[in-house]
Amino acid sequence: MDGQIAHLLFEDESMIRAYQSLQYNWFPRGQQRKIKTYGKHEGAKLFGTLDYATGKVFYQESESYDAKVFEHFLKSLLTEYPTGQIVVVLDNERIHKAASIEHFLQDEPDRSLPLDAGLCGS
């Protein structure tokens, strides 16, 4: 590898709920109403990336949301982008910093930049 970034991806997660839920609402003091909601306490968790150069969106749906599932998503990215170094821009979500993810990145030295490359903040 020549150290050049082949793919710059921006990643984030989202959860789509299968039920209606009111997060916040305003009522006059002492006049709060009960509002029925319907559906089950289920939903889909989505992991997705946006390719900076092409605008391509790659995503996967999952039933859970943890470091193991995130690692599976990263492995899928390696399949989706079979050549070249990949830089994935992440937020500070806890699953992104899990020890298993650090080990995974160290096991892919030809595909990822060193963790101390200075491309991202803390």
Side-chain angles (χ1 to χ4, degrees), residues 2-55:
D2 60 5
Q4 295 291 316
I5 298 171
H7 310 285
L8 177 59
L9 308 175
F10 293 86
E11 190 275 344
D12 207 357
E13 301 83 25
S14 182
M15 183 171 69
I16 301 169
R17 297 180 190 269
Y19 65 94
Q20 302 298 315
S21 174
L22 295 174
Q23 297 294 322
Y24 301 100
N25 209 326
W26 293 95
F27 294 101
R29 189 178 300 265
Q31 298 180 22
Q32 184 174 358
R33 295 182 214 124
K34 291 187 179 186
I35 300 173
K36 292 183 179 181
T37 59
Y38 301 94
K40 296 179 179 179
H41 191 70
E42 296 175 344
K45 283 81 171 175
L46 298 175
F47 292 80
T49 59
L50 173 68
D51 188 316
Y52 177 78
T54 66

Side-chain angles (χ1 to χ4, degrees), residues 83-119:
T83 61
Q85 283 191 325
I86 301 171
V87 172
V88 181
V89 179
L90 305 167
D91 58 18
N92 283 327
E93 179 66 39
R94 183 178 58 210
I95 64 172
H96 299 158
K97 299 184 258 182
S100 62
I101 301 302
E102 300 271 339
H103 294 302
F104 170 76
L105 294 175
Q106 291 170 357
D107 290 343
E108 294 291 338
D110 293 337
R111 300 298 308 278
S112 62
L113 293 175
L115 297 175
D116 63 353
L119 294 174

